[in-house]
């Protein structure tokens, strides 16, 4: 288990900026508006020769009720309890505030080792704030500038003995067997993005899967702002679940922060292997749901459609029948993709969802031998020959699988530009049915023999040893 450092402090003191600096990527959303971060975001940090896990947290506020700010504070306090150490940031330009002093007292009583950092310490304007930081009684403050990278060496010096001590204790406690006998885990976890409209229950679903309140949830729509990756071993399979911000229609997205959130969610879809499109059973297959599912298909991702809040549905059989009919009619490009009913609140249907994800990933990675493909192609052509534009029959000569993830096929043929789209759909549908590849995106490319010729359109050149004689002969004739 890696050493865990939680970055905590008031809103807008630069926690996410420092998080991005430590992980070396712009993983966390950063904006001048306070309170951008709401969930816990983990990342693998490197600082000098040190490697550790860093956690970005929501800004600590004084709310203690069940409001959104109160739930954010409880989530941050939970991160403090789980961390090996906390980096408590204050704003050196603003100086020490009463809120800083309140939370410094909370951190002292938590029992977790605390490192005090005075961020935004570049320039003379911050000198007084750095001196004020001594007043919280948490030791010598480290003057930092997360934006410009100042103070990172001093932070590494303080962290080094803490990490060394934690690793030594972990080595003593480590058992010889980490995985049960007979159980094998893949080297790389499956990358799964959970996407959908606001308030579909994405964060609640992930919390139910991992068995703890890891992500912030509530009745308010749009709580999640950036894509949060949660590692988990689910049924013996390692996964990384990405919780994404709810995606609304583009015309309704006006605020800069929401645009950043949606952009972050779209990026999660592009890097995922499987996309779980989560629908609300009360209003399924809204226009935005269709756009999200179509985006996942166009990006070539394996798609699983999950219908949430099934526990409050009364006429389940009739509703399920209507859902399947609407799915086939509105999303023909995903014909055969799994449609799973779940309840993020009760956990009903989660086993079937996991099985559908594993199955979708297997299909997405499927490779078909070339001999089988060409035998199948001959049968498809015999059953339904391609058209003959201007009296010239298009010939399909050879087929092979060029790639997986998603499955991609190349067919060598004559006159590929004249083969109608309907015939390509005929072949794609046949591949789905005959090779058991329901729902996964399939890429089919038609090429002519001349496309494969590397010397096509290349001008003939005279060998260099003959070029001199040719030039001399031309000169003499002249």
């Amino acid at each position: 288990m890696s050493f865990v450092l939680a970055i905590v402090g008031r809103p807008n003191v630069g926690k996410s900026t420092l998080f991005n600096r430590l992980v070396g990527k712009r993983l966390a959303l950063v904006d001048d508006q306070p309170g951008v971060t709401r969930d816990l975001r983990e990342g693998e940090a490197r600082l000098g020769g040190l490697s550790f896990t860093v956690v970005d947290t929501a800004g600590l506020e004084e709310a203690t009720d069940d409001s959104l700010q109160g739930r954010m504070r409880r989530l941050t306090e939970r991160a403090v309890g789980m961390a090996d150490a906390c980096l408590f940031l204050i704003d050196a330009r603003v100086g020490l505030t009463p809120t800083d002093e309140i939370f410094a007292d909370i951190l002292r009583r938590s029992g977790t080792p605390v490192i005090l950092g005075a961020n935004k310490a570049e320039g003379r304007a911050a000198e007084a704030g750095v001196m004020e930081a001594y007043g919280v009684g948490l030791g010598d403050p480290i003057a930092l500038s997360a934006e410009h990278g100042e103070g990172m060496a001093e932070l590494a010096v303080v962290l080094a003995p803490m990490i060394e001590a934690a690793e030594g204790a972990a080595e003593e406690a480590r058992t010889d067997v980490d995985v049960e006998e007979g159980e094998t885990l893949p080297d790389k976890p499956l990358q799964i993005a959970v996407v959908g409209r606001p308030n579909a229950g994405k964060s609640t679903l992930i919390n139910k899967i991992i068995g703890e309140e890891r992500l912030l949830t509530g009745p308010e729509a749009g709580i999640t702002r950036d894509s949060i990756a949660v590692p988990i071993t689910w049924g013996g399979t390692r996964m990384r679940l990405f919780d994404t911000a709810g995606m609304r229609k583009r015309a309704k997205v006006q605020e800069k922060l929401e645009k950043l959130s949606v952009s972050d969610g779209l990026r999660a879809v592009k890097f995922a292997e499987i996309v779980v499109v989560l629908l609300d059973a009360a209003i399924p297959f809204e226009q935005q749901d269709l756009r999200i599912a179509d985006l996942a298909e166009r990006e070539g991702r394996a798609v699983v459609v999950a219908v949430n809040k099934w526990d409050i549905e009364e006429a389940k059989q009739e509703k399920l029948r209507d859902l399947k009919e609407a799915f086939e009619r509105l999303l023909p490009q995903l014909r055969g993709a799994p449609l799973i009913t779940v309840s993020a609140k009760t956990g009903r249907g989660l086993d079937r969802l996991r099985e559908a994800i594993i199955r979708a990933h297997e299909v997405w990675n499927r490779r078909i031998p070339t001999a089988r493909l060409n035998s199948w192609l001959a049968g498809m052509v015999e059953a339904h020959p391609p058209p003959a534009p201007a009296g010239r029959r298009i010939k399909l000569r050879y087929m092979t699988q060029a790639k997986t993830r998603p499955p991609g096929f190349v067919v060598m043929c004559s006159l590929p530009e004249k083969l109608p789209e309907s015939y390509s759909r005929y072949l794609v549908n046949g591949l789905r049915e005959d090779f058991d590849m329901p729902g996964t995106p399939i890429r089919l490319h038609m090429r002519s023999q001349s496309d494969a010729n590397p010397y096509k359109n290349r001008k003939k050149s005279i060998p260099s040893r003959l070029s001199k004689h040719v030039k001399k002969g031309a000169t003499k004739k002249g």
Side-chain angles (χ1 to χ4, degrees):
M1 185 67 180
S2 171
F3 180 88
V4 178
L5 176 70
I7 305 175
V8 298
R10 289 186 298 106
N12 215 28
V13 295
K15 298 183 296 298
S16 295
T17 304
L18 180 58
F19 174 87
N20 287 341
R21 169 74 61 179
L22 292 173
V23 300
K25 302 176 185 177
R26 287 185 60 87
L27 291 183
L29 294 184
V30 176
D31 193 72
D32 292 336
Q33 176 182 335
V36 171
T37 302
R38 288 175 172 174
D39 285 293
L40 305 181
R41 177 187 280 278
E42 294 184 7
E44 295 305 313
R46 289 189 176 276
L47 188 60
L50 305 176
S51 297
F52 55 96
T53 299
V54 62
V55 181
D56 186 21
T57 66
L60 285 163
E61 300 190 54
E62 293 187 63
T64 56
D65 55 10
D66 202 40
S67 64
L68 178 60
Q69 290 75 18
R71 299 197 302 274
M72 290 164 59
R73 170 174 169 165
R74 287 198 294 273
L75 198 61
T76 298
E77 290 175 342
R78 183 169 171 271
V80 170
M82 296 171 57
D84 294 301
C86 291
L87 176 56
F88 179 45
L89 287 188
I90 69 165
D91 188 336
R93 295 178 186 172
V94 175
L96 199 62
T97 68
T99 306
D100 289 326
E101 294 176 349
I102 291 172
F103 292 122
D105 186 57
I106 292 174
L107 291 174
R108 268 195 299 270
R109 288 187 275 109
S110 70
T112 303
V114 179
I115 301 170
L116 179 60
N119 194 29
K120 307 181 185 180
E122 65 277 11
R124 292 185 177 180
E127 291 178 359
V130 174
M131 296 304 295
E132 283 184 21
Y134 282 93
V136 296
L138 290 173
D140 297 340
I142 302 173
L144 301 170
S145 173
E147 187 173 356
H148 298 96
E150 297 176 10
M152 296 299 112
E154 290 80 0
L155 179 59
V157 170
V158 177
L159 276 174
M162 292 183 171
I163 294 175
E164 185 178 349
E167 289 178 348
E171 188 66 32
E172 293 179 4
R174 186 175 295 138
T175 57
D176 294 333
V177 180
D178 292 327
V179 180
E180 294 182 7
E181 187 176 355
E183 182 184 0
T184 58
L185 298 178
D187 292 335
K188 293 184 178 180
L190 301 187
Q191 309 288 328
I192 303 166
V194 182
V195 300
R197 288 181 291 110
N199 219 23
K202 300 179 291 297
S203 300
T204 305
L205 176 67
I206 294 177
N207 281 343
K208 197 67 175 179
I209 291 172
I210 64 179
E212 59 180 88
E213 294 297 315
R214 172 68 172 74
L215 301 171
L216 191 65
T217 61
E220 305 90 346
I223 290 179
T224 302
R225 281 180 168 165
D226 49 359
S227 300
I228 305 299
V230 181
I232 181 179
T233 300
W234 191 13
T237 303
R238 291 177 59 207
M239 301 180 182
R240 289 184 76 203
L241 301 176
F242 287 85
D243 184 24
T244 62
M247 300 180 189
R248 299 195 297 164
K249 293 181 180 178
R250 183 178 296 178
K252 293 185 177 181
V253 179
Q254 301 294 334
E255 295 183 8
K256 174 190 172 185
L257 189 54
E258 186 174 0
K259 289 180 181 179
L260 291 172
S261 299
V262 172
S263 176
D264 202 37
L266 295 176
R267 189 165 61 250
V269 170
K270 292 179 181 180
F271 284 98
E273 296 171 309
I274 301 104
V275 174
V276 177
V277 181
L278 195 64
L279 311 180
D280 188 329
I283 44 173
F285 295 115
E286 290 283 295
Q287 194 65 33
Q288 189 64 2
D289 293 325
L290 301 179
R291 289 196 182 99
I292 293 169
D294 183 63
L295 167 70
E297 193 278 336
R298 283 188 283 109
E299 289 293 338
R301 304 298 166 232
V303 177
V304 176
V305 178
V307 184
N308 191 24
K309 306 179 184 179
W310 198 246
D311 54 308
I312 59 177
E313 190 62 44
E314 295 180 357
K316 289 183 170 56
Q317 293 300 323
E318 295 178 8
K319 184 74 171 183
L320 184 58
R321 184 175 62 249
D322 294 342
L323 285 171
K324 289 181 178 179
E325 185 276 329
F327 186 25
E328 293 180 3
R329 174 169 50 85
L330 298 171
L331 291 169
Q333 69 272 38
L334 290 172
R335 189 162 64 92
L339 177 69
I340 310 297
T341 57
V342 299
S343 171
K345 184 178 180 180
T346 66
R348 181 184 182 277
L350 293 188
D351 289 339
R352 287 185 289 111
L353 178 60
R354 182 182 64 82
E355 292 169 4
I357 289 171
I358 299 299
R359 163 77 173 156
H361 186 259
E362 290 174 354
V363 173
W364 194 60
N365 282 277
R366 180 160 299 165
R367 182 171 289 279
I368 304 169
T370 300
R372 286 187 64 195
L373 278 175
N374 283 285
S375 176
W376 170 85
L377 181 63
M380 294 292 286
V381 171
E382 183 178 354
H384 183 60
R392 296 177 60 188
R393 176 74 64 186
I394 298 175
K395 296 180 181 179
L396 306 186
R397 296 188 175 92
Y398 178 80
M399 184 175 185
T400 186
Q401 184 171 357
K403 62 183 288 292
T404 60
R405 306 163 62 91
F409 302 89
V410 176
V411 177
M412 308 303 294
C413 64
S414 62
L415 307 175
E417 69 281 357
K418 295 186 178 181
L419 192 73
E421 187 66 29
S422 59
Y423 200 84
S424 293
R425 286 198 301 270
Y426 161 71
L427 294 178
V428 168
N429 291 334
L431 285 168
R432 291 192 193 283
E433 294 176 7
D434 297 335
F435 293 104
D436 192 22
M437 295 192 293
T440 194
I442 293 178
R443 305 293 187 248
L444 186 65
H445 304 282
M446 300 292 177
R447 292 183 184 172
S448 67
Q449 290 294 125
S450 58
D451 292 335
N453 183 2
Y455 299 101
K456 180 186 176 183
N457 298 326
R458 180 177 292 186
K459 293 181 179 180
K460 292 183 178 181
S461 59
I462 301 174
S464 59
R465 65 178 180 274
L466 299 177
S467 61
K468 294 182 180 179
H469 299 289
V470 173
K471 290 179 180 178
K472 286 181 180 179
T475 305
K476 289 178 181 179
K477 287 181 181 181

